[in-house]
């Protein structure tokens, strides 16, 4: 039986500078449990849809990239340690959507991840997550430690 | 999400339909269903994505693994029913060069 989902969700709105628009933010504290990934992803996607993010971006891109980052944070970052959490922060503004994910692990060097489309790697069963994220969003940033990622999608 | 496995006795093709997502939380379930079918002697497998929402990289990885295992025993795997978004994932990762991707499950079943 799957453990009940325990998400801590906080929602806030702030005015955007030089504009009448408001920036909506939700924060989630996600347990280190792969069974909660799908529900967390769905919650964020619904939030983005409700904030006017175009359906394809909300239903597909947000879902895929958040699924990837949560899985990496839970498996590689927190190493499945149930005492640790993953922090997710989503900001929907008038010009962009930013997704921030931070785990409690030691971090990694994203520059060391090889290109999974190279001929000698194409039939490997893993190593495509970060590559997919970079392909699907407009900007990807990491903190210096390598345990927090920021993904930015521009709203056209 | 769920996986439905159905064999077409006329063609000998096993159809596996993915309803929902193929992601880190359920990829092992798909792998087990296909491996169970292979253990029963099935060698022609179609995975139907018509009702699939999204796939993550671990889902893609399971498909790569299954494709290898099926080929090792002389069988073949076909993918079908991918919408534009899902097809994009295969194109971005160049996995469209590794798999045989057909439009519909019926088309895939007829291509063995």
């Amino acid at each position: 039986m799957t453990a009940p989902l325990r998400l801590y969700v906080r929602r806030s709105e702030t005015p955007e500078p030089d504009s009448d628009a408001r920036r909506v933010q939700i924060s989630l504290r996600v347990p280190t449990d792969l069974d909660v990934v799908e529900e967390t992803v769905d919650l964020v996607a619904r939030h983005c849809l409700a904030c006017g993010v175009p359906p394809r971006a909300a239903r597909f891109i947000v879902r895929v990239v958040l699924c990837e980052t949560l899985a990496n944070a839970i498996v590689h970052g927190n190493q499945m340690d149930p005492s640790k959490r993953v922090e997710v922060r989503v900001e929907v503004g008038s010009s962009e959507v930013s997704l921030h994910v931070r785990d409690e692990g030691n971090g990694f060097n994203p520059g060391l991840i090889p290109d999974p489309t190279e001929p000698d790697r194409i039939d490997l069963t893993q190593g495509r997550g970060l590559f997919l994220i970079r392909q699907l969003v407009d900007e990807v940033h990491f903190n210096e430690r390598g345990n927090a990622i920021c993904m930015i999608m521009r709203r056209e | 999400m769920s996986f439905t496995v159905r064999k077409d006795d006329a063609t000998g093709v096993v159809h596996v339909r993915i309803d929902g997502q193929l992601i880190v939380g359920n990829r092992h379930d798909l792998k087990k269903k296909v491996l169970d079918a292979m253990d029963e002697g099935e060698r022609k497998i179609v995975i139907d994505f018509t009702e699939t929402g999204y796939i993550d990289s671990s889902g893609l990885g399971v498909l790569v693994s299954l494709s290898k295992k099926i080929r090792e025993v002389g069988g073949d795997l076909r993918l079908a029913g991918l919408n534009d978004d899902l097809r994009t994932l295969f194109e971005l990762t160049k996995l469209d060069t590794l798999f045989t991707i057909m439009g519909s499950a019926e088309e895939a079943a007829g291509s063995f």
Side-chain angles (χ1 to χ4, degrees):
Chain A
M1 181 178 164
T2 303
L5 179 58
R6 290 185 297 275
L7 288 172
Y8 167 78
V9 182
R10 189 163 53 92
R11 186 178 192 279
S12 64
E13 291 189 27
T14 52
E16 292 198 323
D18 306 321
S19 165
D20 293 334
R22 300 186 74 76
R23 191 173 185 85
V24 182
Q25 172 179 306
I26 60 166
S27 302
L28 304 92
R29 188 173 301 150
V30 183
T32 297
D33 180 351
L34 289 176
D35 286 337
V36 306
V37 169
E38 184 174 359
E39 193 166 349
T40 305
V41 166
D42 284 346
L43 192 156
V44 171
R46 286 199 304 272
H47 166 74
C48 290
L49 265 179
C51 291
V53 174
R56 178 177 183 265
R59 293 195 176 114
F60 184 70
I61 297 176
V62 167
R63 280 189 160 104
V64 172
V65 301
L66 190 56
C67 189
E68 296 292 349
T69 45
L70 280 171
N72 283 340
I74 289 169
V75 175
H76 303 296
N78 288 351
Q79 301 194 343
M80 304 298 290
D81 181 347
S83 70
K84 295 180 175 175
R85 296 286 180 268
V86 180
E87 302 286 342
V88 177
R89 183 164 51 87
V90 182
E91 292 181 21
V92 182
S94 58
S95 61
E96 65 183 35
V97 178
S98 59
L99 305 166
H100 306 258
V101 178
R102 176 190 294 266
D103 60 54
E104 297 185 59
N106 295 323
F108 76 111
N109 182 351
L112 297 179
I113 304 296
D115 182 346
T117 64
E118 291 293 323
D120 60 335
R121 309 191 68 82
I122 192 72
D123 65 346
L124 297 184
T125 58
Q126 54 188 356
R128 296 181 179 85
L130 182 55
F131 176 84
L132 265 184
I133 291 168
R134 290 191 191 281
Q135 298 293 315
L136 291 173
V137 303
D138 296 301
E139 290 180 33
V140 178
H141 306 284
F142 290 88
N143 66 350
E144 191 172 349
R145 178 168 149 185
N147 70 325
I149 183 173
C150 168
M151 300 169 286
I152 295 176
M153 302 163 54
R154 305 246 177 267
R155 299 180 67 173
E156 310 262 328
Chain B
M1 100 290 283
S2 66
F3 306 110
T4 308
V5 181
R6 173 183 64 83
K7 183 177 181 182
D8 184 337
D9 290 327
T11 62
V13 175
V14 172
H15 293 256
V16 182
R17 196 180 74 186
I18 300 172
D19 290 357
Q21 338 309 337
L22 176 59
I23 58 174
V24 63
N26 67 355
R27 61 189 161 137
H28 293 306
D29 298 337
L30 173 71
K31 189 169 186 177
K32 182 174 188 312
K33 283 191 185 298
V34 175
L35 292 180
D36 285 350
M38 289 170 59
D39 285 345
E40 292 168 8
E42 306 302 342
R43 294 293 181 266
K44 300 175 187 174
I45 312 278
V46 171
I47 300 186
D48 182 357
F49 294 91
T50 306
E51 300 297 329
T52 307
Y54 65 99
I55 307 172
D56 72 1
S57 64
S58 64
L60 294 173
V62 157
L63 296 174
V64 172
S65 170
L66 288 172
S67 175
K68 283 184 190 174
K69 289 182 184 298
I70 292 171
R71 285 202 303 268
E72 282 170 8
V73 296
D76 206 355
L77 173 72
R78 303 282 157 87
L79 310 183
L82 295 155
N83 64 28
D84 289 345
D85 287 333
L86 296 180
R87 191 176 280 267
T88 297
L89 294 180
F90 286 82
E91 291 170 353
L92 290 173
T93 54
K94 297 188 180 175
L95 288 178
D96 57 330
T97 64
L98 204 66
F99 291 102
T100 303
I101 300 176
M102 311 295 286
S104 69
E106 292 71 25
E107 196 181 341
S111 70
F112 284 104

